[in-house]
Amino acid sequence: AARGGREPLLDILTWENPKETGMLFVSGVMLYVVTNVLNLGLMMVIGIIAILQLLLFRVAKYIQDKGIALSGVDLKKEFVVTPKPETVSTVVHVVGDMFRLVEETIKSLALSKDYLRLLEGFVTLIFVSAVGRVMDLPSLLLLVWTLSFVVLPVYKQNEAMFDGLLGGVEKLKGE
């Protein structure tokens, strides 16, 4: 569902709310560091976060009940980290659409009798294999994650320049 007529994913990638986008970007990078660099399993990370969240909430609740601090603060809102259902739904839809697109592309290539398309698919597989030999999947995912947060803002700031370059390419294709 769109917020105020806009898509939440587009708001995130265009940095409409820098605090929210920054937190999401940093959390993705931290997930890479914890799982790939520190070699912790994803389920272990989720468990540690859940336990720390519970401990932090209980300590804050005790401090609030004793009247020491945090009076008038909604602790569940401040300390309980639960993703919004709309966010989870959007992520699931985007990932599902990407997998569906890859599946349909592979099916169309496998059933194609167009040798040029088959060659294109073969070259793509060789390229992906070469990238896989140079870069492991977690590092590649980190690169894609970072680019997804950087490309759109850079394009928006330099839209006239990129559109001029793309227009020149289109003219060359037309000739």
Side-chain angles (χ1 to χ4, degrees), residues 68-158:
I68 299 171
L70 303 172
S71 61
V73 175
D74 183 9
L75 295 179
K76 286 185 181 178
K77 184 178 178 187
E78 296 295 326
F79 288 102
V80 178
V81 180
T82 306
K84 297 175 190 153
E86 310 89 51
T87 305
V88 173
S89 175
T90 301
V91 169
V92 168
H93 283 294
V94 167
V95 171
D97 288 345
M98 286 176 19
F99 281 132
R100 197 171 306 107
L101 180 66
V102 168
E103 178 189 15
E104 288 172 4
T105 304
I106 291 172
K107 279 182 187 176
S108 72
L109 272 174
L111 299 174
S112 175
K113 292 185 180 187
D114 181 7
Y115 291 114
L116 186 59
R117 285 203 64 214
L118 288 172
L119 180 65
E120 183 181 294
F122 182 69
V123 168
T124 302
L125 287 176
I126 290 174
F127 175 74
V128 170
S129 296
V131 169
R133 290 191 53 82
V134 174
M135 201 174 203
D136 62 341
L137 182 62
S139 299
L140 189 60
L141 290 174
L142 178 66
L143 179 65
V144 170
W145 179 258
T146 304
L147 288 175
S148 67
F149 283 90
V150 172
V151 168
L152 197 54
V154 168
Y155 171 75
K156 282 190 163 257
Q157 288 179 350
N158 303 298

Side-chain angles (χ1 to χ4, degrees), residues 53-71 73 75 78-79:
Q53 176 180 293
L54 179 65
L55 289 173
L56 184 63
F57 178 76
R58 291 294 170 199
V59 168
K61 183 73 172 155
Y62 177 79
I63 290 172
Q64 189 179 45
D65 289 345
K66 293 293 181 182
I68 299 171
L70 303 172
S71 61
V73 175
L75 295 179
E78 296 295 326
F79 288 102

Side-chain angles (χ1 to χ4, degrees), residues 2-20:
R3 278 187 306 212
R6 291 187 50 106
E7 290 293 324
L9 184 61
L10 184 61
D11 286 348
I12 289 170
L13 294 179
T14 56
W15 292 77
E16 292 296 323
N17 182 350
K19 182 180 176 185
E20 182 181 347

